[in-house]
């Protein structure tokens, strides 16, 4: 079976964008791929954060992933910092990646903008991400649209490595969903919905109360026209609601567009709110069950780290050998 690998940062509560852009695909891929998923805590410390909250947020993110449908019997779920191969491979890949290509990363430019000091870790973030992927001989990486450039870099690093040291690394492909890959902020529909940026008004966290979800969706920003059509360029707010409604009801966008043609924005928002509340109801219930038994999640993550480490250790041994490091006798 082909292997998929993907990761999510424990930077805050998972939202609808994470789910529709990435995690929905992760759940589906468990049946068709050898699937490995990772809570990337080492990525989360590249931007300012609260150390007192990181461990809890990491556990919480893993718990939400399980509630969303990851099944530890059918996939490997673990915490990045539990497997040291990620940081070890990062160093070696740092010597293959160039400062010039890292400087071109738009996420670095965006996250660094306006900060008085930016960590070297934030600059190196894409190399750690490449190491995550390449440490598992990954074929396919399901991510949202914002990660396209990072994936391209991981491929370039793998190709350059293989060219320089002989065929060692598997060159991965990005898997970006045809819709849902870019869920927009409800208040600022030209910016992506995000855990760490913007105000919470524009975001729907997967665990939000039904009342909060309804309020956020019914006060979503649209435009001053009144026609309902899917046009992300001209009508980003309406297009965003249509894609969310389609995803939550399992319908195609043209179908929801047709269902709502001629109706007002109020009706579209109300229908979207109702669909999202219903869609997330079982996830909330499963989360509460898992939350009641934190020892179980901890045990699952330990098992996941063991499985992941067994794979990564083989790859890192191959890499050490390829770059000419003296083997430890
Ligand atoms: P942060 O705001 O801390 O950067 P984030 O909300 O962007 O976090 P990540 O942990 O960086 O979330 O991303 C996890 C996955 O979710 C990635 O595959 C990413 O592409 C996807 N993703 C994030 N935001 C969106 C969005 N608004 N629409 C679709 N996919 C998204
Ligand atoms: N940078 C990614 C998270 C991430 C990731 C990965 C995704 C870290 N390592 C490996 C796929 C594969 C993001 O979503 N911001």
């Amino acid at each position: 079976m082909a292997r998929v690998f993907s990761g999510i940062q424990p930077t805050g509560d998972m939202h609808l964008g994470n789910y529709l852009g990435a995690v929905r695909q992760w759940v589906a891929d468990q049946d068709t791929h050898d699937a490995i998923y990772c809570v990337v805590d080492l990525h989360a410390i590249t931007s300012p954060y609260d150390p007192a909250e990181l461990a809890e947020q990491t556990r919480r993110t893993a718990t939400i992933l399980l509630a969303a449908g990851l099944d530890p019997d059918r996939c490997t779920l673990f915490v990045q910092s539990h497997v040291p191969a990620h940081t070890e491979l990062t160093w070696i890949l740092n010597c293959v990646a160039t400062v010039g290509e890292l400087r071109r990363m738009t996420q670095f430019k965006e996250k660094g903008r306006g900060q008085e000091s930016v960590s070297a870790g934030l600059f190196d973030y894409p190399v750690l991400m490449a190491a995550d992927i390449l440490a598992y001989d990954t074929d396919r990486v399901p991510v949202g649209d914002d990660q396209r450039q990072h994936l391209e870099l991981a491929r370039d690093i793998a190709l350059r490595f293989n060219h320089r040291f002989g065929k060692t690394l598997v060159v991965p492909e990005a898997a970006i969903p045809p819709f849902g890959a870019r869920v927009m902020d409800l208040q600022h529909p030209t910016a992506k919905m995000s855990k760490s940026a913007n105000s919470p008004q524009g975001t729907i966290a997967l665990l939000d109360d039904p009342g909060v979800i309804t309020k956020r969706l019914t006060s979503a920003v649209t435009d001053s026209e009144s026609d309902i059509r899917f046009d992300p360029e001209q009508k980003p707010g309406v297009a965003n609601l249509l894609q969310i409604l389609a995803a939550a009801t399992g319908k195609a966008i043209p179908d929801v567009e047709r269902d709502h043609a001629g109706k007002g924005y109020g009706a579209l928002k109300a229908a979207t709110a109702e669909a999202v509340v219903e869609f997330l109801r079982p996830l909330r219930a499963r989360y509460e069950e898992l939350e009641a038994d934190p020892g179980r999640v901890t045990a699952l993550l330990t098992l996941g780290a063991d499985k992941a480490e067994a794979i990564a250790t083989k790859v890192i041994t191959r890499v050490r050998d390829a770059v000419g490091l003296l083997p430890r006798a």
Side-chain angles (χ1 to χ4, degrees):
M1 266 203 283
R3 177 166 292 149
V4 300
F5 180 99
S6 198
I8 183 162
Q9 303 184 78
T11 37
D13 280 351
M14 270 169 65
H15 53 73
L16 217 47
N18 301 134
Y19 183 78
L20 298 179
V23 176
R24 178 170 56 157
Q25 193 56 49
W26 300 10
V27 174
D29 283 343
Q30 295 179 109
D31 295 322
T32 48
H33 289 76
D34 175 8
I36 306 179
Y37 304 120
C38 184
V39 181
V40 292
D41 52 351
L42 297 172
H43 277 107
I45 66 173
T46 58
S47 292
Y49 73 102
D50 182 354
E53 282 179 11
L54 180 62
E56 181 49 28
Q57 196 54 251
T58 301
R59 223 181 48 79
R60 198 173 151 83
T61 302
T63 309
I64 301 177
L65 289 171
L66 293 165
L70 292 192
D71 172 1
D73 289 332
R74 290 184 294 148
C75 74
T76 299
L77 174 65
F78 73 105
V79 174
Q80 185 186 37
S81 66
H82 292 177
V83 179
H86 294 244
T87 40
E88 184 177 356
L89 185 55
T90 299
W91 182 257
I92 296 174
L93 298 182
N94 271 336
C95 303
V96 176
T98 68
V99 169
E101 65 192 347
L102 292 180
R103 253 205 262 272
R104 287 195 290 275
M105 295 293 117
T106 55
Q107 183 176 299
F108 172 69
K109 289 193 254 181
E110 275 159 27
K111 291 207 173 181
R113 191 171 298 142
Q115 309 285 346
E116 73 179 62
S117 154
V118 170
S119 74
L122 187 66
F123 185 61
D124 205 35
Y125 179 116
V127 181
L128 177 58
M129 177 164 164
D132 295 341
I133 297 166
L134 301 176
Y136 294 91
D137 287 339
T138 301
D139 298 298
R140 203 163 160 270
V141 186
V143 281
D145 186 65
D146 61 318
Q147 296 302 308
R148 206 181 277 279
Q149 193 187 29
H150 286 163
L151 245 298
E152 210 41 56
L153 179 76
R155 287 172 55 84
D156 288 346
I157 291 175
L159 287 165
R160 196 176 310 140
F161 187 104
N162 288 344
H163 181 71
R164 199 170 294 168
F165 301 109
K167 184 154 178 23
T168 312
L169 297 169
V170 173
V171 182
E173 303 276 347
I176 295 169
F179 75 97
R182 214 171 161 75
V183 177
M184 308 312 274
D185 186 282
L186 299 172
Q187 289 299 313
H188 307 279
T190 50
K192 72 158 195 158
M193 190 179 281
S194 154
K195 290 195 229 93
S196 52
N198 309 324
S199 80
Q201 280 6 295
T203 304
I204 292 187
L206 299 181
L207 297 177
D208 276 342
D209 284 336
V212 171
I213 295 175
T214 304
K215 184 148 189 300
R216 300 234 166 111
L217 281 164
T218 50
S219 47
V221 167
T222 44
D223 52 52
S224 55
E225 304 174 358
S226 61
D227 59 324
I228 292 180
R229 63 195 155 78
F230 185 74
D231 183 346
E233 289 292 314
Q234 300 300 317
K235 300 172 73 67
V238 171
N240 197 33
L241 288 169
L242 286 170
Q243 78 163 343
I244 292 172
L245 177 58
T249 52
K251 292 185 180 174
I253 289 176
D255 293 336
V256 292
E257 207 178 2
R258 203 169 320 115
D259 293 348
H260 282 272
K263 298 184 189 164
Y265 287 173
L268 173 64
K269 291 177 185 181
T272 307
E274 196 187 323
V276 170
V277 166
E278 283 317 309
F279 180 73
L280 293 178
R281 198 183 293 283
L283 190 149
R284 263 169 73 95
R286 280 196 299 272
Y287 181 82
E288 276 159 25
E289 250 170 61
L290 288 158
E291 193 53 1
D293 189 0
R296 179 153 165 247
V297 175
T298 307
L300 290 174
L301 290 175
T302 307
L303 210 72
D306 289 345
K307 285 204 281 176
E309 185 155 45
I311 300 167
T313 302
K314 284 192 195 141
V315 178
I316 197 85
T317 304
R318 206 196 302 145
V319 167
R320 284 164 150 274
D321 193 45
V323 300
L325 298 172
L326 176 68
R328 177 172 158 178

